Structure formats: C-alpha cells, structure tokens
Amino acid sequence: MDLSNSNTAKNLADAFAGESMANRKYLFFSEVVKKLGLGDLAKLFRETANQETEHAFAHFRLMHPELVVDDPASLSDEQKKAIAARCLELAIEGETYEYQTMYPNFAAEARADRDGEAEREFQEQADESREHAGIFRTAARNFGLLTAIEHHHADQYSEALRGLEGVAPANKAAGSKWICRQCSMIYDPAEGDPDSGIAPGTPFEAIPDDWECPICGAKKALFVPYQESIAA
C-alpha cells in the first residue's frame, strides 16, 4: 500500500519527529537533574527516553518498510548492500538539506531578527535588547558553523556509499583546517573565530590553549588536522 501522499504518511513523519525530540529532551533533562543530585529522577528520564526511542523506531519502520530486517541470515550480500545503501541515501538527503537549506536559512533569519526586532527593542529596553542581539548573533554564528559540519557529514556518508559500490576512497591530506573530534566543528584559519577573539587569518597553532570549540565547548586539544580530499 502506497502511503507516500496520504495524511497517514505525514502523521507518521510528525509522530516520528515528536518522539525523537522527546527522546533527546528527556536525555538532556536526565543530565540536568543528575547534576542536581536527583538520581532517581534522572533514571526515570532515561527510562522514558528509551521508551520514546522505541516509539520512534516503530513509526520509522512504517515509514520505511524497505529497511525492516527480520531475518538477516536470509538476505543475500546484494540485499544487505542495498539496505545499507538506502540508509546512507537517507542520511545524505537529511544532512544535505541541513547544510544547503536549513542552516543557511536559519542563519539569514537570525541575522534579520538581530537587525530588525532586536535593534528596535534596543531603543526601548537597552539591557534586554542587548541580550537578545547577543543570542541572535550566537545563533547566526552557530548556524553558519553547523552548515560546514553537516556538509562534512554528508561527504562522509557519500564516501561510505561509494565504498559499498566498490569505489576506492579518495586520497586525503591535512591542510590548514582542524576539526573537533567531539562535534565535527571545522576551524578554518581564513575565517578565524571573531566572536571568541580569534581574528581571521589566525593559524590553529596560534590560538590560545584555553580556546574552546564554539559549538560544543570542547578544549583545543580535542581538535585534529582536517583531512580533505585531494583533487585527482
């Protein structure tokens, strides 16, 4: 039965998104209350998060029955490869949307919000408006950084898909960029990190040791040279 254009298909997608968001929220809540010394409540949030994951998986199986594997032993190597390839195709599709459309649009809207509503509010309530403008600037910066991260993820998935098809990986070499091992934020010396006081043109080696990743807060020591593909 083709559900691709039905209300049920949309509802399944919405339910999957809702359950997935609930999972991540509850895991976050679990970390928060654990720091507060509320171990039992942290455990409750974790258990509920796991249940939400099962709910999300159930919805996703209905959305993508081609990915349901009941008996792996009965599948041929080609069938296994096709299923793995489909997973990578969906991952590439999602990451590409994020870096080509979602985060660039979010960044533009954050800049517009900062220059519009936040600036007007500044005239009325200086302190509150400054806080808002700072939030919007941070959002715009983070969305811009996440664009490169999602591009990197899409490239990784594309290379894995080519590997499944028997294509040898491209030769890579480290250039001047460095990548965070914790969140994949890529530091580009040409852009620097002005919000953290790192001017454009600053090589990674010249950044102070107490500098932190602007996305996840990881220490400088967690960055490694970024391997980029070499043009044939």
Side-chain angles (χ1 to χ4, degrees), residues 3 8 21 30 46-47 67 78 91 93 96 101 108 147 167 175 193 197-198 202 206 209 212 218:
L3 297 176
T8 297
M21 186 181 295
S30 178
R46 286 195 304 273
E47 291 175 348
L67 300 180
E78 285 304 312
E93 178 183 304
T96 301
T101 302
T147 297
V167 179
D193 182 14
I198 309 301
T202 303
D209 290 339
E212 296 180 347

Side-chain angles (χ1 to χ4, degrees), residues 2 32 41 52 63 78 89-90 104 111 115 126 136 149 165 173 203 205 207 221:
D2 183 10
V32 170
L41 184 53
E52 302 292 11
M63 293 165 60
E78 285 304 312
E89 288 168 358
L90 289 171
R111 287 191 293 271
D115 296 336
F136 291 135
I149 292 173
E165 297 168 347
E205 294 79 3
I207 296 176

Side-chain angles (χ1 to χ4, degrees), residues 14-155:
D14 289 346
F16 174 72
E19 299 286 5
S20 300
M21 186 181 295
N23 165 268
R24 307 321 293 177
K25 284 195 299 185
Y26 298 161
L27 289 178
F28 180 86
F29 296 160
S30 178
E31 288 191 7
V32 170
V33 297
K34 182 179 180 181
K35 292 177 180 178
L36 300 177
L38 303 173
D40 289 343
L41 184 53
K43 182 174 180 290
L44 174 61
F45 275 127
R46 286 195 304 273
E47 291 175 348
T48 309
N50 291 336
Q51 293 164 10
E52 302 292 11
T53 294
E54 292 304 317
H55 299 164
F57 282 6
H59 298 320
F60 200 76
R61 292 186 190 101
L62 291 175
M63 293 165 60
H64 292 283
E66 75 276 17
L67 300 180
V68 176
V69 178
D70 293 321
D71 183 12
S74 68
L75 299 176
S76 66
D77 288 343
E78 285 304 312
Q79 289 174 315
K80 293 177 181 178
K81 184 182 295 185
I83 292 173
R86 179 60 177 150
C87 290
L88 287 167
E89 288 168 358
L90 289 171
I92 292 167
E93 178 183 304
E95 298 292 346
T96 301
Y97 165 73
E98 290 179 3
Y99 82 77
Q100 286 188 348
T101 302
M102 188 177 79
Y103 281 122
N105 288 348
F106 286 176
E109 290 176 1
R111 287 191 293 271
D113 287 342
R114 180 194 68 201
D115 296 336
E117 185 64 25
E119 291 298 328
R120 285 192 296 272
E121 188 174 349
F122 178 79
Q123 302 301 318
E124 301 173 4
Q125 298 180 339
D127 290 341
E128 184 177 350
S129 185
R130 264 196 296 272
E131 181 182 354
H132 287 177
I135 292 172
F136 291 135
R137 277 195 294 272
T138 299
R141 178 199 66 181
N142 286 355
F143 289 145
L145 293 173
L146 286 165
T147 297
I149 292 173
E150 303 306 346
H151 196 168
H152 170 65
H153 289 167
D155 287 345

